[in-house]
Amino acid sequence: HPPTHPLTHSLRFPSLVATADELEKQILKLVDLYLSADTKEASIRKDNASHWVVRLAHCMSEEKRRWFLAMECELFRARFKDLASIEQKEFILDNDEFSSVEVLTSREFDEVQGDLKATILSYTNSLAQMNSTVTGPDAFYRVTFEEVTDLVASRRVFVKDGYAYVSKDQLGSLVMAPFRSHLSKQLAVLSRKWASFCDGPEKDRLVPLVQGLADRDLGPDYGTSAAGSKSGETVTAAMLPALAKESFPLCMSVMMDSLKRTH
């Protein structure tokens, strides 16, 4: 089933059992079949493929796993926030990780509508924002308060009978904890599987390639003459005073002048 959602890889992942040669052939077929066109689906497939490559490359040490986890969480947060409300709702309802999330009925919303307005008004101090947030049952979700402890601690949600009522504007806090927990567990599992794979028949061919991926820098190397300056020269300490006058912002220029006077 082809992925069509920009967050597909985040909480769903395929099971793959294949030899290295079979995997290489399948990758080439998939690239020709799905990644050749400049379409939304092709872009999502490229994103999924790059995610799994980078996940594999950063599962080998605790430091790399922490870095990858932090970067993916920030990327997930930004992409989820960028989704339309209906897409956020579909993502939550389609993932088993959020099976405890409940959409309010009209009757349930009517029972707590006054409390929801009071809660929103208490931390926004804006009647306009309160009215734009408390629009109907589709604007809120009910979850156990343990799932949004950050919102409870900051008193940004109404809590009743052990349940927190989360507005659609606060869904980021609701999805981040399950996503981070899920990805952290999967990185640990992948790390153990990779350790056993390294002792297999492909240790001399694929292992060095994958191990080098995490240390590759695809950006410009500013230590080389080509990237050093427009004229092709490497920037040296002796060139800083002149460059400071023509290129530094005011705050850095003041710091540079102070450095020259006091040292």
Side-chain angles (χ1 to χ4, degrees):
H1 180 67
T4 57
H5 197 285
L7 296 182
T8 300
H9 71 252
S10 300
L11 292 175
R12 295 180 180 176
F13 49 93
S15 298
L16 179 62
V17 179
T19 64
D21 291 334
E22 291 172 343
L23 180 59
E24 184 175 353
K25 291 178 182 178
Q26 290 300 320
I27 289 176
L28 293 176
K29 288 181 180 179
L30 290 173
V31 168
D32 292 336
L33 183 59
Y34 297 119
L35 303 186
S36 56
D38 187 17
T39 63
K40 179 181 178 180
E41 185 175 279
S43 177
I44 293 173
R45 290 184 182 279
K46 289 180 181 179
D47 184 56
N48 282 327
S50 64
H51 168 86
W52 288 102
V53 170
V54 177
R55 180 188 287 203
L56 177 61
H58 287 80
C59 74
M60 304 171 197
S61 69
E62 180 64 27
E63 180 181 0
K64 290 179 179 179
R65 288 195 294 271
R66 285 199 303 267
W67 180 89
F68 178 76
L69 186 60
M71 296 300 104
E72 281 295 305
C73 284
E74 288 304 313
L75 178 61
F76 179 85
R77 187 195 304 274
R79 287 185 170 179
F80 185 84
K81 184 178 180 180
D82 197 44
L83 294 178
S85 297
I86 186 63
E87 292 177 313
Q88 291 180 346
K89 182 178 180 180
E90 289 175 354
F91 179 78
I92 289 176
L93 297 181
D94 288 345
N95 278 285
D96 294 336
E97 294 288 334
F98 309 114
S99 58
S100 62
V101 178
E102 302 176 10
V103 180
L104 297 185
T105 65
S106 296
R107 181 180 178 181
E108 291 170 337
F109 174 75
D110 291 339
E111 292 176 353
V112 297
Q113 182 176 1
D115 296 306
L116 294 176
K117 287 184 176 181
T119 302
I120 301 297
L121 185 60
S122 68
Y123 73 83
T124 62
N125 293 319
S126 170
L127 287 173
Q129 188 168 347
M130 179 196 73
N131 292 327
S132 65
T133 302
V134 187
T135 57
D138 290 340
F140 285 86
Y141 299 84
R142 183 171 60 189
V143 297
T144 56
F145 76 91
E146 295 96 334
E147 297 182 59
V148 286
T149 52
D150 57 330
L151 296 178
V152 174
S154 58
R155 299 185 178 184
R156 297 170 67 88
V157 289
F158 170 64
V159 179
K160 180 181 179 181
D161 298 332
Y163 288 93
Y165 292 77
V166 182
S167 72
K168 60 184 180 182
D169 298 329
Q170 300 169 323
L171 288 180
S173 295
L174 177 61
V175 299
M176 281 306 302
F179 172 76
R180 185 181 184 87
S181 175
H182 174 88
L183 184 56
S184 179
K185 291 177 182 177
Q186 292 305 314
L187 283 171
V189 171
L190 185 58
S191 177
R192 292 193 295 269
K193 290 184 177 181
W194 175 253
S196 61
F197 179 83
C198 289
D199 295 329
E202 301 294 339
K203 64 179 181 180
D204 295 326
R205 188 163 74 97
L206 289 183
V207 172
L209 176 64
V210 176
Q211 288 179 336
L213 288 175
D215 300 321
R216 288 187 179 182
D217 184 4
L218 301 180
D221 182 2
Y222 293 99
T224 63
S225 59
S229 66
K230 293 181 180 180
S231 62
E233 301 179 61
T234 300
V235 176
T236 63
M239 299 166 60
L240 286 179
L243 291 174
K245 293 180 179 179
E246 64 183 41
S247 301
F248 282 14
L250 179 60
C251 59
M252 293 182 66
S253 296
V254 172
M255 293 174 64
M256 187 67 184
D257 292 340
S258 176
L259 183 65
K260 289 164 56 179
R261 290 195 306 269
T262 57
H263 291 79

